[in-house]
Amino acid sequence: MLLLALDTATPAVTVALHDGRDVIAAFAQVDARRHGELLLPAVDRVLTEAGLRLDAVTGIVVGVGPGPYTGLRVGLMTADTFGLALGVPVYGLCTLDGLAYASGLDGGPFVVATDARRKEVYWATYADPRTRLTEPAVDRPADLAERVAGLPAVGAGALLYPDTFPDAREPQHVSAAALAALAAERLAAGVELPAPRPLYLRRPDAQVPKNYKVVTPK
């Protein structure tokens, strides 16, 4: 097994390789405006670090969000392209699940919250690093205060809103290393991983204006 994992659902562009036992190479760079520019060089970097070629990869793991439309589709389209070119399966994992897995919070329920912009967060609750209790959602932090009261939280969204998440902790962004390790663990256990379908949760910021008039030549 050689899994190539990547995620562009948060401001981090993150890539990793996992051989079924361990992460053998990983790279991450935080830059919310350069996902498309940074992703392929990051893939090349981890392959070079591992001394491997892309055609050695046996599966692709991609974070499916939730996340902003533009950044998220960079990772999903790249994963699909690699899968088609290599003839290997492409697996989708919730980006919030990767953050939960990396948190190490085994002592009880906790929250994962990432920045959704527009003064909102993408979030879900977890029983432990491997078990999600609620479906991913997008809400204003103030509207969540009663539902998450007393729970520790991880992710950039939690760190941005300390009034709602007073016990906010690292990591801020997902790592492809965590996604790869989680995917390898589930595949080894015979768990069928979902298809790489995006979790947008809301419409893209860029939309056609209302009452748009189409002008065509006669």
Side-chain angles (χ1 to χ4, degrees), residues 89-166:
V90 181
Y91 308 109
L93 282 181
C94 175
T95 297
L96 301 180
D97 290 358
L99 269 162
Y101 188 79
S103 71
L105 292 176
D106 284 317
F110 63 94
V111 182
V112 174
T114 60
D115 183 15
R117 306 174 188 172
R118 304 185 193 175
K119 299 182 179 180
E120 294 179 327
V121 293
Y122 298 118
W123 70 284
T125 57
Y126 291 77
D128 56 60
R130 294 170 176 81
T131 310
R132 178 157 33 95
L133 296 173
T134 61
E135 290 300 312
V138 58
D139 288 289
R140 290 184 175 274
D143 296 336
L144 302 176
E146 291 186 7
R147 299 172 67 179
V148 302
L151 298 180
V154 300
L159 291 164
L160 278 173
Y161 301 100
D163 288 345
T164 299
F165 306 103

Side-chain angles (χ1 to χ4, degrees), residues 214-218:
V214 178
V215 179
T216 57
K218 294 182 179 180

